Amino acid sequence: MSDIAAHPEVIHAVDGHDDGHAGSHGTSTGLSNNKLAMWLFLGSECLLFGGLISTYMLYRGRNGTGPGPDALWDIPLTSISSFVLLMSSLTMVLAVSHAHQGNDRKTQIWLSVTALLGATFVGAQVYEFTSFYHEGLGYTTSLFSSSFYTLTGFHGVHVSVGIIMLMALVAMIGKDKIPGNKAESVELIGLYWHFVDVVWIVIFTLVYLIPA
Amino acid sequence: MAIIERPSTTPAVAGSAPSFVGPADAYGAFRRPVTSRGWRSWVFTVDHKKLGIMYGVVAFCFFLVGGLEALLIRTQLAAPDNTVLSAGTYNQMFTMHATTMIFLFVMPMVSGFANYMVPLQIGARDVAFPRLNAFGFWCFLVGGIFLNTSWFLGGAADGGWFMYQPNASHLFSPSHGVDYWALGVQITGIASLTGAINLIVTIINMRAPGMTMWKMPIFTWMVLVVQFLLVFSLPVITVALFLLTFSRVFGGQFFNVQAGADPLLWQHLFWIFGHPEVYILILPSFGIVSEVLPVFSRKPLFGYKFVAFSGAAIGFVGFGVWAHHMFASGLGPLSVAVFSVGTMMIAIPTGVKIINWTLTMWGGKLRFTTAMLFAIGLVIEFTIGGLSGVTHAVSPSDTQQTDTYYIVAHFHYVLFGGAIFGLFAGFYYWWPKIFGKLLNERIGKWNFWLMVIGMNLTFGPMHMIGLQGQPRRMVVWPQNLTGDGLFNLGFWNKVATVGSYILGLGVLTFVWNVTRTHLLRKGEVAPLDPWDARTLEWMTSNPPKEHNFDAIPTVHEVDEFFHRKYEEVETDHGVRLVKTRSAEEILADQEAHADAHIHMPSPSYWPVVLAVGLVIVAYGVIYSVLLAVVGALITLGASFAWALEPSTADPSDFDPPAGTPGKELANV
């Protein structure tokens, strides 16, 4: 709730008359509808990744005759790509900060940098998948391979969707075609982006760092 | 946003037609579908009331389909070694009966009621995300049609609604039925998830001034609890369905026991969703009954906060009891004991509710309308089902009952006698609100008694034949195993079949009642406040105007509308409640103080296009990559069009041109 105290205009909205239209002004709690919805969606996403991670944890040791985790992981490479992804959260914060200051140019720059860092991470993942495949780990090789590719693949798709949203945001800011509150749109995509990063910390720890 | 404009100087006159105008700033290549007439006004609508009605109509059609499937099942089981259905068709029939009733009837029907009633009950003009709301409806519709097309394209799913793996793998279910099921349920899941987020935001953020959480109607409370259950349980079935689809389409190993897979993985994932799901089905009906009983008992709901809290408690504890569906799977004594005790705990808040409803009626001036009868029916039938439910919570007893007709008896008592009776109470109670016509009460009584007799004849004997050992999902029962005397399986199976036909007749009576009211135009025009109701949704016209309320009311009490009509007056016999104002006077007062600027969301093409794109992807996953790519492109295009579309419509979209001189344009 300290978040509300920092924004006097929100407090005004709480006291103000609600004429029933959607938006951050005049909601019952003073929170923006969009932001509340994004938090709920991310709450739901936690359970999605929870299910995928549980499946992986159940099957991580069941690699049958195929290669197992210890034979495949290239920890230095994945550490670097993880670092790149985490740094993209920093650039995202800078983009949100500039969006709140109304600086479109800098917002666009930092959003583009964020997308670029995200793309680097996805590129590293594609490289990693390719080399695993050449080492004999197909999608249907073992329980371990199916659940590994599904979990990390789902995360990769989430990052890719994030990149598409970031690039769309850059284009829409450029043409001034964002319906509604521009800074809030940047912030919402930022929330999603941070969530995807946090999930990667969990996946990186459980999948790569803890020995099977 | 279309803006309903009123001259700001002259007070609004009751019944005057508002004109539609909108502010500038056009986006996109298409004119918005702003027409207020014809099929376009329904297909592209984002109005929560129209969507609510569409949810209801489509869900009821699926109810008839699911009912037909049930009657075919009972016809097959009417005689020993019967051959009405082949074993394969029978498997598809019970799978699709359950899938249809759960995902395509009760859940969307609840969405319909929630969509229509929640904004009215909390004094809002629409939901928080109207286009998302339309998207949810279209996902449900195309998902439901997609699921049912499998009947004509190689056979429907045949693994039971729980679709246990590896039992429903390629080896045992070689047709595309299971693929259709996994993708279809996935698409209807999107409908539920978007709907859930939308309704939570609506309820938390869009309440009328003064309506604190503890002044919300109980139906809204129960809808809120259910939407939280959906938000946190749906992603788990989403994972399970993805694993299933990836196994069947891409050869994923998740359920391949030869490779060392654990069959319990599917069961856990499924029931972590599946158990909250049963509360998702029942709690909204609890909410409806908590509205109906006080109105027809002429008393406030006994223990309002207890009822709300118990609903939340049922939802919360409901997340921790999923493994009671798996007592027979060898979980180990500790797990079984924990889940057994957890399940028994659910009986406490449920019992609280039953007691509260009973005490609401106690000493009240009861009016036995059809809605009230269905509500009382729920209290009684659900209690019977709840008691047999407690016998499942006791794991040694449950081990005996697993996979017998006793289980079928139990969940039909709680789902038919509970969830569906609640929905029928809602039909009769809210029909005049939604359509402005009263359903016939005399036919309604027939409807109720046929249904209540039919359901007890159908599901009552199943307790006996189940405890005698007749297994579920068996296509035949052999003559030589029926036994004799009172517990003769053959006799009670026939009784159940006769009961199911009576039940079907009861449903047809309802269809007749609706037909008579609307198509034959014999329905009585509903007065403004036909039931002397208590909550905000009755504080507007029947049916409500497009913008719901001329002036958003300020709320002071739990039963706001009731307290505006009645006042406490000191008499010689103590304090009495006296009706001091009529609904007409309250409404006239509201119209006199109508808001000058009312913002309504504009219709949009993109929700329906997006949903159709998704279903094309689903067909593509089964048949052809090319089709999937086409569907994905439509989905992506519609997403961008949606993102670029402002919530406000361009004036040039309106015909005739908008903006009448002398009226002030609101541009917010």
Side-chain angles (χ1 to χ4, degrees), chain A residues 17-23 26-38 40-41 43-52 54-55 58-59 62 64 139-143 145-148 150 154 164 168 172 176-179, chain B residues 1 27-28 125-129 193 196-197 200-201 203-209 228 231-232 235-236 238-239 242-243 246 250-256 259-263 265 269 552 595 597 599 636 640 643-647 668:
Chain A
H17 177 63
D18 176 10
D19 64 354
H21 70 94
T27 63
S28 307
T29 56
L31 297 168
S32 134
N33 285 349
N34 295 330
K35 214 179 280 181
L36 192 56
M38 181 54 92
L40 286 165
F41 171 68
S44 183
E45 288 271 276
C46 287
L47 273 287
L48 182 95
F49 279 103
L52 291 167
S54 307
T55 306
L58 179 68
Y59 287 155
R62 303 190 191 180
Y139 186 70
T140 57
T141 306
S142 61
L143 286 164
S145 76
S146 291
S147 48
F148 167 76
T150 305
F154 255 90
I164 293 172
M172 284 163 78
D176 203 22
K177 281 205 167 184
I178 293 188
Chain B
M1 279 186 192
Y27 289 86
R125 291 211 159 104
D126 208 314
V127 292
F129 304 103
L193 183 67
I197 291 175
I200 292 175
V201 175
I203 294 171
I204 289 185
N205 254 359
M206 296 177 68
R207 284 165 283 131
F228 271 105
V231 163
F232 294 116
V236 184
T238 304
V239 170
F242 270 125
L243 298 185
F246 291 175
F250 307 127
Q253 298 291 301
F254 310 103
F255 309 115
N256 182 355
D262 193 336
L265 172 67
L269 289 177
I552 296 292
D595 293 340
H597 309 301
H599 311 259
L636 196 67
F640 271 101
L644 285 165
E645 181 184 70
S647 53
V668 179

Side-chain angles (χ1 to χ4, degrees), chain A residues 73-190:
Chain A
W73 298 158
D74 181 357
I75 299 292
L77 174 82
T78 318
S79 301
I80 292 169
S81 71
S82 305
F83 180 75
V84 169
L85 188 66
L86 293 188
M87 281 306 104
S88 74
S89 264
L90 176 66
T91 56
M92 189 72 227
V93 169
L94 292 171
V96 172
S97 162
H98 286 297
H100 278 297
Q101 290 162 16
N103 189 333
D104 284 357
R105 192 82 211 116
K106 285 191 172 166
T107 308
Q108 279 179 307
I109 291 172
W110 286 115
L111 286 176
S112 307
V113 174
T114 310
L116 197 67
L117 292 174
T120 311
F121 173 83
V122 174
Q125 193 173 38
V126 170
Y127 170 79
E128 193 186 32
F129 280 12
T130 316
S131 66
F132 289 171
Y133 182 75
H134 289 304
E135 286 172 59
L137 193 78
Y139 186 70
T140 57
T141 306
S142 61
L143 286 164
F144 157 70
S145 76
S146 291
S147 48
F148 167 76
Y149 282 126
T150 305
L151 169 60
T152 50
F154 255 90
H155 182 266
V157 168
H158 272 78
V159 178
S160 307
V161 169
I163 294 169
I164 293 172
M165 291 199 292
L166 288 170
M167 294 192 317
L169 203 54
V170 171
M172 284 163 78
I173 292 175
K175 296 198 165 183
D176 203 22
K177 281 205 167 184
I178 293 188
N181 185 335
K182 200 187 297 174
E184 189 183 81
S185 302
V186 178
E187 201 181 336
L188 289 179
I189 310 263

Side-chain angles (χ1 to χ4, degrees), chain B residues 106-231:
Chain B
V106 177
M107 286 173 77
M109 188 54 90
V110 166
S111 293
F113 275 124
N115 254 308
Y116 201 102
M117 288 304 160
V118 163
L120 286 166
Q121 285 201 326
I122 63 172
R125 291 211 159 104
D126 208 314
V127 292
F129 304 103
R131 280 179 296 178
L132 200 62
N133 203 15
F135 174 62
F137 167 74
W138 290 107
C139 276
F140 151 60
L141 179 63
V142 297
I145 292 172
F146 175 80
L147 264 169
N148 278 288
T149 52
S150 63
W151 285 110
F152 313 104
L153 296 167
D158 53 3
W161 87 282
F162 37 80
M163 211 58 69
Y164 275 0
Q165 302 296 328
N167 185 44
S169 62
H170 261 307
L171 185 61
F172 305 107
S173 292
S175 81
H176 279 310
V178 176
D179 302 324
Y180 272 100
W181 182 86
L183 293 162
V185 173
Q186 194 80 280
I187 293 175
T188 58
I190 297 171
S192 301
L193 183 67
T194 53
I197 291 175
N198 204 347
L199 283 168
I200 292 175
V201 175
T202 305
I203 294 171
I204 289 185
N205 254 359
M206 296 177 68
R207 284 165 283 131
M211 179 170 278
T212 60
M213 296 299 272
W214 285 127
K215 292 198 175 75
M216 294 193 319
I218 287 288
F219 176 68
T220 299
W221 254 113
M222 291 304 107
V223 168
L224 181 66
V225 170
V226 164
Q227 307 313 311
F228 271 105
L229 291 180
L230 282 167
V231 163

